[in-house]
Amino acid sequence: MATAKFGRVITAMITPFLEDGSVDYEGAAALAKHLVAHGSEGILVGGTTGEGATMTTEEKLKLYKTIVDAVGRNATGKKVPVMGNIGTISTRDTILFGREAKKTGIDCALAIVPFYVKPNQEGMYQHFRAIAKHVDLPIVLYNVPGRTGVSIQPETIKRIVDECPNVVGIKDATGNWDQVTKEKTLLPDDFMIYSGDDAFTLPILAGGGVGVISVASHVIGDDLLAMVNAFEKGDLEKARALHLKMYPIMKGMFFVASPIPVKTAVNLIGQPGGHFRLPIVEPSEEEKNHVYQMLKDYGGLVK
């Protein structure tokens, strides 16, 4: 049976930017500490939600080191796993960046299916095989066809895992129950399947997944972890009730381009969400009011 080696609730953390466009490293460290205190058992840095595609290599490496230093040990002295996004559309660049990222102290790497170029299954196999062979870190694949235009198939994942023991899990954002079921059927028992969609977390847990790499956990992390705990204890009634309670927030974080809603929400709850980088823009007043109302309706998140 798979266990969540990097935490059951991992927050795909936003990156706060200052008004002048630079990275707010101090704010990022403070936010990471807040997340760990409110349900996050792991932190993913530099992913889609973190606007990693708009950041330079130097900025990302400094940010990864900042977060490792900030939450490498929590209040009880227990290590908080930090996952760093290393994925690009170039196999060579991913390998080179992954090697540098390892030096920051991250515990594992996230590698996305190459976007824009839309490789076939053989291309994906060769891409991830090369990364796994040349980056000495545990690697979690990221399958999000809504952003990449293509989906890595379970049979291809099996080919990779059979040859590359450091490919240890997947962030599955396909929203496809057949895909998840086939992954569980074909892959080793200890292979970790994380939901890449907050609203799909409970079904993925029921199918044998280990948790979620979450956006909504920026604001409802305690309840999200409580749902996972309830499921693991066999209290399906409580898990279902929490799922239904959280559903409006889990879906509402994507009513416009992410990370606009979640970053706005973080600012509204008094945490350092910061500014955006183009092509992501500040919310309109209407969008900001919509996020505020979501938080207010949830109860206790804003005054």
Side-chain angles (χ1 to χ4, degrees):
M1 189 71 174
T3 57
K5 297 173 185 174
F6 306 118
R8 297 167 297 167
V9 175
I10 301 171
T11 296
M13 197 180 85
I14 62 170
T15 301
F17 297 111
L18 297 170
E19 195 168 0
D20 66 3
S22 60
V23 178
D24 181 3
Y25 296 103
E26 185 178 334
L31 178 59
K33 291 176 182 177
H34 169 80
L35 294 172
V36 168
H38 291 280
S40 298
E41 295 184 333
I43 301 289
L44 165 64
V45 192
T48 307
T49 310
E51 297 172 82
T54 71
M55 297 171 67
T56 67
T57 294
E58 292 73 21
E59 285 175 327
K60 285 191 281 191
L61 292 174
K62 183 176 178 180
L63 181 62
Y64 295 4
K65 180 68 163 58
T66 297
I67 302 308
V68 168
D69 290 346
V71 299
R73 299 280 172 185
N74 66 15
T76 64
K78 181 182 178 183
K79 184 172 177 58
V80 176
V82 177
M83 181 183 295
N85 171 40
I86 66 169
T88 72
I89 62 174
S90 160
T91 306
R92 178 179 179 275
D93 288 349
T94 301
I95 290 168
L96 292 175
F97 181 70
R99 288 173 169 174
E100 292 302 308
K102 177 181 168 62
K103 299 174 186 177
T104 68
I106 59 172
D107 299 278
C108 60
L110 183 77
I112 193 169
V113 169
F115 45 93
Y116 185 71
V117 294
K118 300 172 72 171
N120 62 15
Q121 295 301 308
E122 181 63 25
M124 292 183 214
Y125 163 72
Q126 295 287 353
H127 173 75
F128 288 119
R129 177 181 177 273
I131 294 167
K133 294 288 186 183
H134 293 98
V135 177
D136 185 22
L137 279 168
I139 292 171
V140 174
L141 309 179
Y142 181 19
N143 194 20
V144 55
R147 286 191 179 269
T148 63
V150 287
S151 179
I152 186 168
Q153 296 302 306
E155 293 83 1
T156 305
I157 301 169
K158 183 180 189 305
R159 287 182 68 196
I160 297 163
V161 172
D162 284 350
E163 196 170 342
C164 306
N166 59 324
V167 176
V168 297
I170 189 165
K171 177 184 178 184
D172 189 301
T174 62
N176 185 330
W177 183 243
D178 286 342
Q179 172 97 8
V180 175
T181 302
K182 191 170 281 189
E183 286 167 359
K184 284 302 299 181
T185 301
L186 293 178
L187 295 163
D189 285 344
D190 61 354
F191 185 83
M192 298 177 291
I193 300 175
Y194 283 97
S195 176
D197 178 347
D198 283 296
F200 211 56
T201 303
L202 187 56
I204 280 187
L205 290 172
V210 298
V212 60
I213 299 178
S214 171
V215 173
S217 55
H218 282 88
V219 291
I220 55 171
D222 289 321
D223 279 350
L224 197 50
L225 184 61
M227 182 185 75
V228 176
N229 282 331
F231 177 85
E232 289 183 349
K233 292 175 182 176
D235 190 347
L236 299 185
E237 185 174 348
K238 181 178 180 180
R240 188 185 310 114
L242 283 164
H243 166 75
L244 295 174
K245 176 188 177 185
M246 293 185 290
Y247 187 76
I249 295 281
M250 293 191 289
K251 298 299 287 186
M253 287 297 126
F254 299 92
F255 81 97
V256 291
S258 182
I260 294 172
V262 66
K263 215 167 193 182
T264 302
V266 171
N267 283 321
L268 286 171
I269 65 171
Q271 293 299 317
H275 295 271
F276 300 83
R277 270 190 180 171
L278 286 172
I280 301 297
V281 296
E282 301 287 336
S284 67
E285 278 302 309
E286 183 180 358
E287 289 166 349
K288 185 175 180 179
N289 290 337
H290 182 76
V291 174
Y292 177 85
Q293 193 61 49
M294 275 197 299
L295 299 177
K296 187 175 181 181
D297 290 346
Y298 195 80
L301 296 178
V302 292
K303 295 181 180 179

